[in-house]
Structure formats: structure tokens, C-alpha cells
Amino acid sequence: MNYSIIFYIMGWILNFEAAFMVPPCIVALIYGEQAGWSFVITMALCLLIGVPLVIKKPKKQIFYTSEGFVTVSLCWVVMSIMGALPFLFSGSITSPVDALFETVSGFTTTGASILSDVEVLPKSILFWRSFTHWIGGMGVLVFILSLLPLTGGSHMNLMKAESPGPSVSRLVPKVRLTAKLLYSIYIFMTVVEILFLLAGKMPLFDAVTVTFGTAGTGGFAIKNNSIAGYSPYIQNVVTVFMILFGVNFNVYFLILMKRVGQAFRTEELRWYLIIIAVSIGIITVNTAGLYRSLGDALHHASFQVASIITTTGFATQDFDLWPQASKTILVLLMFIGACAGSTGGGVKVSRLVVLVKTVRKELIQFLHPQVIRKIKMDGKVVEHEVVRSINVFMVAYTLLFSLSVFLLAFDGEDLITNFTAVAATFNNIGPGLELVGPSKNFGIFSEPAKLVLIFDMLAGRLEIFPVLILFSRETWKKF
């Protein structure tokens, strides 16, 4: 195990986290808030630990898949711990477990909160909550990859461990250029959404923080009623951008390369849009009687479907009050999630498409044993290794999900609350149903239960295996 390069990258993570705290410090200065000192102290601690770790560059800079997984997992844990300190130092949250829950929820772009009243928080703390979504959306290591001159396959192994989806591919021959390209697209789309929101007369602070939540598909809001208090125009803008940020960023690369036809022929994108359209249609009809017009029903159905399938978690309505059919669709969308290679969570559309095709292939194999049939996506054969990894992922996903629901049962809450709480955290969505619905929060759970949900958020964001590998004895043996 190349421990020196692991600590080296962790040092850079801490240094960059210190830099990420400069914007909330500026916000504190603008609004004259004492909470700014909590960021200054945290920055000093990050640099105190981080700078010594990066002074000496490791002689051996190449590391492999297992080390990439360990590095990513440890970096996310350390980043979350340090990111929780401003909440504690400012007094915004007094419990260390609650502060860690809020921070992990931010970085993993989950959006589940233990706070019952966010409007009493200082502006700088609200900015930091939302900014953690933007940082975690594309992945802080993807950002660092575009800057650090690592050698060999190191870049790719880090990117595979952090990027959501069943596979990671280079958009251009060099991984560093791929990382830069991804962040360029991410930043451009972020700026465009801010401009659209400002055009709707949204205050600048609101526009920036809401955009951070949308871009990272996170869902932390700066209002207690989430997005419900804003105009229909603003809600529509957020709806469109939630869907856009849930698209595989490879599609945008293809569009930039003027390969528009190839971009829109992508199977995953096609099924993603079909699922969204069908879900909106059914929920619109099912909830039509709750609103003044079919247009209102369509508006709210579109927003909530976009919010849930992209695992953003914003809300314009308390969908826990919707009919059972609509709530069932939303719960199913929690599991489906967005596209691979997007900022969204969930199982991912591409995984489900491959799983359905695998079932179909097996059925045909039963009927015609002599027929050799390959699974294809976008006209290309899906390698057996990819199918195997998806199957293993689904087994691990099911086992961890079931275990989490079981552990939460000891808190004594009802099954729907526990089930959707795990679904909301494991799939990085935010709100669930019943006691963790969009109008409520996760503060009802005990600290042990919150630790289970913290693990679920990290495991869901990092696609399970980078987190599980930390608990393997083999991981820590030098080789």
C-alpha cells in the first residue's frame, strides 16, 4: 500500500478545503457576521494538517485501484469532519454527530437535514451548507485531478472511485484534461442557471445558493419551505436545470464536439427522459383533483419528479400528502436515480437498463439454449466484467439497504419512515415520507441511527465499494 501518496493527496484535500472556506468568509464580512471566525479557525486547522503533508512529494506516485478506493474514502471522511467544524464553532449546531450528519449530507449531495429552522442560521453558514453540495457534486478529487501531476494510472483509479456510475471513460486521451473538461461544463452550467434565476428577480444570494443545490443535485434550501415560496418561473428554471444536471456529462461533451445526433441517441438518456415524462404524466393525472387546474398539477408534478429522480430533494409541495399512487412513483424514482456520470445519485438509469437486458437475455437463453446473445448498449457489446460488477453492486446495495432499515428499527419509528429514510440517504435524495417527509427533518433519530445514515450517505455517494474496502483486513496489509 502506497501510504505516502495517500497522505499526500489527503494533504491537498485539506488545503483545498481551506480554500473553499474563503467564499463563506467573504459572505460573513459582507453581512457583518461573527460566524466568519468559525471558518477562519477551521481554515487554519486544515492548513496546519494539510501543508506538512504536501511539502515533500512522494517518490512513488503511482497507485492502483485499491489505493484509489482507500484514498477517496479517507479523503471524503476527513473532508466531512473538517467541514463540520464551522457548524460547531459558530454554535449553529451543538452536537458533533448532528454537525457531521449535516456536513456529510452536504458533500454527498443528499440534502437530508437535522435542522428544523434554517432561516435563523447566519448567511455564511447557509452559504457553506449549499456550497458543500456544489463541491461534492462533481467531486473534489475530480477537481484536484485536473491540477495534480500524478503519474501512471493514478488519475483514472481516483476518478473511478469517486465518479458516480457503473463505468468511467475518458472524454479525451488524458484524464487530467477529462477532469478539466468536466469542471468547465459544470461551472458553465452553474453560471447559466444563476443568470436565469437573476432574470426572474431572485436575490443574488438566493440565486447562488439555490444553484449550488441544483448543480450538485443536493437540495439544501435557505428557506424553511424549500423552493415553495419562489415564483413559478424560478421553480420552472430549477426544474429544467435539475433534469440537465442529472444527464451524463458525456452527452454535453458530445454536443460540444458537434456530435449532436450521437448524443441524443444515447440509450441511457432516452430512457431517463422517458421515465421522467411517464412519471410526470401519471402524477399529473393522479393529483389533478388537489389543484385549481391541470396546469398547476403538471407544474408541481414536473418539479417533484425532476427533484426526486435527479436526487436533488427540493420541494414545492408536501408530496407526503399526495395520493398513494403518486407517492409510490416518487419512491420508485428514488431508487432509479439519475444518469451515470452526472451529479445525481441512486442506482443509475444505465445500471437498470443493463439489468433489464440481462433478465431478457437469460429468458431467451432458457427458451433457446443454443443461441449466443450479447447485451448491447448504444450498439456496443457490454463486457461480461461490467455486467458482473453491476450484479455484485446490486447484491451489496440490497444487503446494505436491508441492514440499515433493520438497524433503524431499534429507534422505534414506523416502517415507512425508516424505509424511506434509508432510501433518501442511501440514494442521496434528502426527504423521504412520513416523519422524514419534505416538511420534516431527520432530527427525530438517535445518534446511533444518524451514524448509520451517515454511513449510508457516504456509501451511496461513493458507490458502496470504496467505503466497504476500508473495513477489509486485506486493505491494510502492505503489498
Side-chain angles (χ1 to χ4, degrees):
M1 183 73 71
N2 190 354
Y3 291 106
S4 58
I5 191 66
I6 292 174
F7 285 117
Y8 179 72
I9 293 176
M10 286 177 65
W12 277 113
I13 285 288
L14 289 169
N15 293 338
F16 274 102
E17 186 164 16
F20 290 145
M21 290 188 182
V22 172
C25 282
I26 295 173
V27 172
L29 282 173
I30 293 172
Y31 290 96
E33 296 174 345
Q34 292 296 317
W37 287 107
S38 63
F39 293 101
V40 173
I41 296 169
T42 306
M43 288 168 62
L45 290 173
C46 287
L47 294 173
L48 188 64
I49 301 169
V51 171
L53 292 176
V54 301
I55 288 176
K56 186 178 179 182
K57 187 178 290 187
K59 294 179 181 178
K60 183 182 177 184
Q61 294 185 43
I62 298 176
F63 59 102
Y64 304 101
T65 303
S66 60
E67 289 154 312
F69 278 27
V70 169
T71 301
V72 167
S73 296
L74 290 178
C75 284
W76 274 75
V77 171
V78 170
M79 185 171 65
S80 297
I81 291 171
M82 300 306 289
L85 296 181
F87 290 108
L88 292 171
F89 292 157
S90 66
S92 301
I93 300 175
T94 55
S95 164
V97 172
D98 284 353
L100 184 63
F101 184 98
E102 200 77 10
T103 308
V104 170
S105 181
F107 280 127
T108 60
T109 72
T110 302
S113 180
I114 51 84
L115 297 167
S116 57
D117 186 1
V118 297
E119 294 181 26
V120 300
L121 296 177
K123 295 280 189 181
S124 54
I125 293 294
L126 286 174
F127 183 91
W128 176 243
R129 282 177 84 238
S130 297
F131 194 35
T132 55
H133 281 333
W134 193 85
I135 295 168
M138 186 61 68
V140 67
L141 282 169
V142 172
F143 176 72
I144 290 178
L145 283 178
S146 66
L147 303 175
L148 289 186
L150 301 177
T151 58
S154 303
H155 284 114
M156 202 61 189
N157 288 324
L158 279 175
M159 202 166 181
K160 282 180 180 177
E162 188 179 46
S163 298
S167 63
V168 175
S169 59
R170 293 182 175 95
L171 302 182
V172 290
K174 292 186 178 181
V175 179
R176 284 183 68 191
L177 291 179
T178 297
K180 286 181 180 178
L181 185 59
L182 287 172
Y183 250 95
S184 297
I185 296 170
Y186 191 51
I187 292 169
F188 174 76
M189 290 176 65
T190 299
V191 172
V192 170
E193 185 183 352
I194 291 173
L195 293 176
F196 268 101
L197 292 177
L198 290 175
K201 298 182 180 179
M202 194 179 199
L204 177 61
F205 182 82
D206 296 40
V208 171
T209 51
V210 168
T211 298
F212 284 160
T214 309
T217 60
F220 274 155
I222 61 171
K223 304 290 185 183
N224 291 331
N225 62 1
S226 189
I227 309 296
Y230 296 109
S231 68
Y233 166 83
I234 287 172
Q235 292 173 1
N236 288 332
V237 169
V238 173
T239 299
V240 170
F241 276 92
M242 284 190 293
I243 293 171
L244 291 176
F245 279 106
V247 171
N248 191 323
F249 274 55
N250 284 10
V251 171
Y252 300 128
F253 172 74
L254 291 173
I255 293 172
L256 285 174
M257 295 296 104
K258 298 181 180 179
R259 289 148 65 183
V260 179
Q262 184 182 346
F264 287 100
R265 283 195 302 269
T266 306
E267 270 190 79
E268 183 182 37
L269 176 62
R270 187 163 64 247
W271 280 110
Y272 171 69
L273 295 176
I274 288 172
I275 292 168
I276 289 174
V278 171
S279 300
I280 290 173
I282 296 173
I283 292 177
T284 299
V285 173
N286 190 234
T287 60
L290 301 177
Y291 300 102
R292 291 176 300 177
S293 67
L294 193 64
D296 283 348
L298 176 63
H299 170 78
H300 293 298
S302 300
F303 187 96
Q304 290 311 150
V305 167
S307 180
I308 297 300
I309 195 171
T310 62
T311 71
T312 305
F314 282 140
T316 57
Q317 294 284 292
D318 186 355
F319 53 78
D320 200 20
L321 302 176
W322 282 1
Q324 292 300 323
S326 296
K327 290 195 290 185
T328 301
I329 290 172
L330 293 180
V331 170
L332 292 174
L333 293 178
M334 289 181 184
F335 290 94
I336 294 171
C339 299
S342 70
T343 60
V347 172
K348 306 294 184 303
V349 173
S350 58
R351 276 200 183 96
L352 293 175
V353 171
V354 172
L355 284 170
V356 170
K357 290 189 175 189
T358 303
V359 172
R360 186 185 174 195
K361 173 188 171 238
E362 291 301 317
L363 288 174
I364 293 173
Q365 203 81 45
F366 280 128
L367 295 172
H368 307 285
Q370 305 304 319
V371 175
I372 298 175
R373 192 178 182 91
K374 297 287 187 181
I375 298 170
K376 292 185 178 181
M377 279 278 285
D378 301 327
K380 298 177 182 178
V381 174
V382 179
E383 298 295 332
H384 174 72
E385 185 64 24
V386 175
V387 177
R388 185 195 64 81
S389 67
I390 289 174
N391 293 337
V392 172
F393 172 86
M394 291 307 301
V395 170
Y397 179 96
T398 304
L399 289 174
L400 282 177
F401 190 96
S402 303
L403 178 61
S404 298
V405 173
F406 173 71
L407 292 175
L408 256 62
F410 290 99
D411 253 30
E413 308 299 346
D414 64 275
L415 180 59
I416 294 177
T417 295
N418 293 337
F419 184 89
T420 57
V422 174
T425 51
F426 207 7
N427 295 311
N428 304 134
I429 294 162
L433 298 176
E434 297 294 344
L435 299 180
V436 290
S439 63
K440 301 178 179 67
N441 61 74
F442 285 70
I444 60 168
F445 290 109
S446 64
E447 291 196 346
K450 287 172 185 172
L451 291 173
V452 171
L453 296 174
I454 287 170
F455 174 86
D456 287 343
M457 288 188 280
L458 286 170
R461 173 59 180 84
L462 299 179
E463 307 271 288
I464 298 176
F465 293 106
V467 176
L468 287 184
I469 204 171
L470 293 178
F471 298 92
S472 171
R473 186 183 299 176
E474 295 297 316
T475 302
W476 306 105
K477 290 182 180 179
K478 289 192 176 182
F479 55 89

